[in-house]
């Protein structure tokens, strides 16, 4: 039986080594490529047929796994993709679904092993967790924040003004101020800057626009 051809795209050496170890232990899969950047991942798929891609999302060289996945899906829609990440940014799952990525796996938080997700994906399932992992933002859990508050927070971490946030989200500046005040109350952060830094460090809001 012909093995399923897999490409690993992950900038973390240990992660790549673990994925390689798991895949080599399976009779179903074989590694075609194992690369550390998403910048040219789509060109690898064009050079040689790949059945399944394990795609990290945020990489040290600035390349973006979601953008790379979108390019792969455009040029090779039959190639299946599993987005893999250790970052709890909650909006990435929605973006992955929009792109057409078949499955999504959190490295440290998922109950299923990566091989289980690979098997289910190749058997025709779309495997997504119910929610992003919960992390602490000061005194609060990330689940204590509303979706709109997280949208405001994500944009705020880029350093732009309340007026610019309001324009970007098509809401009033006063509404933005209220969202920030509520998040400061929940988290115990004493300033807008402290809230932004705490959120950015937690990984719950990372802008990749």
């Amino acid at each position: 039986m012909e093995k399923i051809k897999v490409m690993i795209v992950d900038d973390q050496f240990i992660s790549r080594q673990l994925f390689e170890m798991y895949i080599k232990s399976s009779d179903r899969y074989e590694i075609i490529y194992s690369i550390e950047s998403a910048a040219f991942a789509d060109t690898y798929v064009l050079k040689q047929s790949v059945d399944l891609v394990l795609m990290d999302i945020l990489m040290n060289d600035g390349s973006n796994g979601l953008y790379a996945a979108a390019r792969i899906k455009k040029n090779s829609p039959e190639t299946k993709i599993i987005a893999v990440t250790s970052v709890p940014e909650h909006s990435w799952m929605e973006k992955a679904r929009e792109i057409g990525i078949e499955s999504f796996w959190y490295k440290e938080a998922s109950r299923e092993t990566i091989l289980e997700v690979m098997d289910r994906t190749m058997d025709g399932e779309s495997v997504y967790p119910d929610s992003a992992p919960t992390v602490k933002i000061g005194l609060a859990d990330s689940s204590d924040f509303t979706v709109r508050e997280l949208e405001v927070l994500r944009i705020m971490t880029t350093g732009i003004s309340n007026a610019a946030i309001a324009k970007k989200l098509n809401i009033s500046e006063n509404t933005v101020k209220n969202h920030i005040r509520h998040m400061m109350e929940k988290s115990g952060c004493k300033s807008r800057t402290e809230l932004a830094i705490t959120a950015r460090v937690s990984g719950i809001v990372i802008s990749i626009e």
Side-chain angles (χ1 to χ4, degrees):
M1 181 177 176
E2 187 175 353
K3 290 187 176 184
I4 294 167
K5 298 176 177 63
V6 180
M7 177 169 72
I8 301 166
V9 185
D10 196 311
D11 65 337
Q12 296 180 351
F13 175 76
I14 293 177
S15 291
R16 289 200 312 279
Q17 290 289 97
L18 286 172
F19 289 147
E20 290 173 12
M21 181 182 70
Y22 293 142
I23 292 168
K24 288 174 182 177
S25 72
S26 169
D27 294 330
R28 191 177 185 188
Y29 303 98
E30 65 174 327
I31 300 169
I32 300 299
Y33 301 114
S34 184
I35 60 177
E36 61 184 22
S37 172
F40 303 105
D42 55 314
T43 63
Y44 283 85
V45 176
L46 291 175
K47 286 197 299 183
Q48 183 171 346
S49 176
V50 174
D51 302 309
L52 177 64
V53 179
L54 305 183
M55 179 71 76
D56 193 16
I57 296 178
L58 190 65
M59 307 199 193
N60 288 328
D61 66 351
S63 61
N64 183 316
L66 292 178
Y67 294 163
R71 294 194 299 270
I72 290 171
K73 281 297 183 185
K74 180 179 179 180
N75 297 322
S76 180
E78 70 279 3
T79 299
K80 296 191 176 185
I81 302 174
I82 301 174
V84 299
T85 185
S86 58
V87 178
E89 162 58 70
H90 86 289
S91 70
W92 288 354
M93 279 196 289
E94 181 180 350
K95 292 180 185 296
R97 289 184 191 276
E98 291 172 356
I99 291 166
I101 293 173
E102 279 76 14
S103 297
F104 199 105
W105 187 75
Y106 285 107
K107 295 177 183 177
E108 286 86 15
S110 295
R111 287 176 292 182
E112 303 92 346
T113 67
I114 188 61
L115 279 178
E116 290 171 338
V117 176
M118 289 167 64
D119 285 341
R120 291 173 61 187
T121 301
M122 294 311 298
D123 290 340
E125 286 190 64
S126 180
V127 185
Y128 274 74
D130 294 331
S131 61
T134 298
V135 297
K136 297 296 290 187
I137 303 177
L139 302 176
D141 290 334
S142 53
S143 57
D144 296 332
F145 290 7
T146 66
V147 171
R148 179 60 95 182
E149 285 173 344
L150 289 172
E151 288 175 342
V152 170
L153 189 56
R154 181 178 304 104
I155 300 171
M156 193 178 80
T157 60
T158 65
I160 68 175
S161 67
N162 289 347
I165 296 172
K167 183 176 181 180
K168 195 172 184 69
L169 293 177
N170 197 28
I171 57 179
S172 72
E173 187 175 351
N174 191 53
T175 298
V176 171
K177 290 178 180 178
N178 285 335
H179 283 313
I180 293 172
R181 177 173 55 81
H182 291 154
M183 288 187 286
M184 288 173 59
E185 290 171 352
K186 292 175 184 178
S187 66
C189 292
K190 302 301 182 185
S191 68
R192 185 182 189 276
T193 300
E194 182 184 353
L195 175 62
I197 292 172
T198 302
R200 187 64 178 82
V201 169
S202 77
I204 192 61
V205 285
I206 296 178
S207 178
I208 55 172
E209 299 298 333

